[in-house]
Amino acid sequence: MTNIIDVKNVSKSFGHLKVINDCSIAVEEGSITGLIGPNGAGKSTLFNIIAGAFPADAGSIHFAGEDITHIPANQLFHKGLLRTFQIAHEFSHMSALENLMMVPGDQSGESLFNAWFKPGLVRSEELAVRQKALDVIDFLSLGHVKNELAGNLSGGQKKLLELGRTMMADPKVVLLDEIAAGVNRTLLQDLIANIQRLNKELGYTFLVIEHDMDMIAKLCNPVIVLAQGSVMVQGTIEEIQNNEEVVEAYFGTEAH
């Protein structure tokens, strides 16, 4: 298998606090890779560095063979590297469908010239984007709320919508940050099923930060354990759950 993400010897400090410490991870193309660790391990910071939100102090990041160490998030979006957030960032006063239609960039209608002099082009693009959004809505079984204001959706529906927004950009890799947080068990099963479908049917690669070990067990192979900003161990979920170092990192010596 080919590594689509290669993080090599990355470090990051905030003031005197070193959050990421000479960290190296690899994500295989076509995998659903889990990233777990105790609170404060540096998981979200590492995500932010990979996604271009924070600059690394040292080390390098390669995406699909390209050095993206110093490339900002907006450019990575167009290269097919996207992320979700622990708290969904929906446009609350727009419908679920409109939220999806907002995603594709560089639409002709954004140009005043095209709006005035090429209305046919603008209209045809809008229709294509709308159809794609409807296809995503159908894929995620959100048709019953497509015209509902996104701010009125449940936590789980917002997370599905967030996943749908990544689909509108046809990503190569999606970084999922605590996507199970605040989601009821029924909708969580829908989320898991949709992630698996996107992986198997559309070839999406996922890197998943998650505290829900049941979700990690159902979705992820391999699983990487981060502790104090560095990789502690990597393996299958069974190997991770039976690793004494991991148990101690999560629960302390009293767990023995």
Side-chain angles (χ1 to χ4, degrees):
M1 294 290 289
T2 302
N3 292 335
I4 195 164
I5 292 178
D6 265 307
V7 176
K8 296 182 179 178
N9 307 113
V10 163
S11 294
K12 179 67 178 176
S13 298
F14 296 97
H16 296 294
L17 178 64
K18 195 159 199 174
V19 181
I20 303 296
N21 183 21
D22 195 29
C23 182
S24 298
I25 70 168
V27 177
E28 288 187 353
E29 186 174 8
S31 72
I32 305 178
T33 299
L35 183 63
I36 66 172
N39 290 331
K43 303 182 298 296
S44 290
T45 299
L46 184 60
F47 251 39
N48 282 321
I49 292 170
I50 295 171
F54 295 162
D57 295 336
S60 65
I61 304 155
H62 285 76
F63 172 60
E66 179 184 357
D67 189 340
I68 62 166
T69 310
H70 302 293
I71 296 180
N74 64 311
Q75 293 182 33
L76 294 178
F77 172 90
H78 293 290
K79 292 179 182 293
L81 178 60
L82 280 72
R83 67 161 297 172
T84 66
F85 296 87
Q86 293 181 27
I87 300 173
H89 290 178
E90 78 282 354
F91 297 104
S92 59
H93 297 296
M94 300 175 70
S95 72
L97 182 62
E98 289 168 337
N99 265 261
L100 296 182
M101 292 179 66
M102 286 287 292
V103 173
D106 301 321
Q107 297 184 48
S108 296
E110 296 173 11
S111 163
L112 184 60
F113 178 87
N114 289 332
W116 276 96
F117 298 106
K118 297 182 179 180
L121 173 63
V122 172
R123 180 62 178 161
S124 64
E125 277 193 9
E126 285 180 349
L127 288 173
V129 169
R130 179 181 173 82
Q131 186 56 56
K132 183 172 184 177
L134 288 169
D135 290 343
V136 169
I137 288 277
D138 183 59
F139 185 97
L140 297 174
S141 299
L142 286 174
H144 59 297
V145 295
K146 69 180 179 182
N147 296 318
E148 183 68 55
L149 292 180
N152 295 338
L153 301 182
S154 71
Q157 289 168 338
K158 288 179 181 180
K159 292 295 180 72
L160 282 170
L161 184 63
E162 185 102 335
L163 189 60
R165 286 166 65 180
T166 70
M167 293 174 64
M168 291 296 294
D170 296 320
K172 296 175 184 175
V173 175
V174 181
L175 310 179
L176 298 178
D177 192 353
E178 300 272 2
I179 198 166
V183 179
N184 68 48
R185 305 312 295 182
T186 300
L187 276 178
L188 182 57
Q189 298 312 308
D190 291 342
L191 268 174
I192 291 171
N194 280 307
I195 292 166
Q196 290 171 328
R197 285 183 64 199
L198 289 169
N199 174 251
K200 292 176 182 176
E201 296 176 20
L202 300 182
Y204 288 17
T205 300
F206 289 95
L207 179 59
V208 183
I209 288 179
E210 190 51 65
H211 283 295
D212 188 319
M213 288 300 104
D214 289 338
M215 183 173 181
I216 288 289
K218 289 177 182 177
L219 273 180
C220 300
N221 184 27
V223 179
I224 301 167
V225 182
L226 210 63
Q228 298 180 336
S230 300
V231 174
M232 174 184 289
V233 65
Q234 175 176 327
T236 66
I237 188 62
E238 292 81 10
E239 291 168 340
I240 297 302
Q241 289 173 328
N242 292 313
N243 186 295
E244 290 191 7
E245 280 187 280
V246 175
V247 173
E248 184 169 329
Y250 267 98
F251 305 110
T253 55
E254 293 179 2
H256 296 284

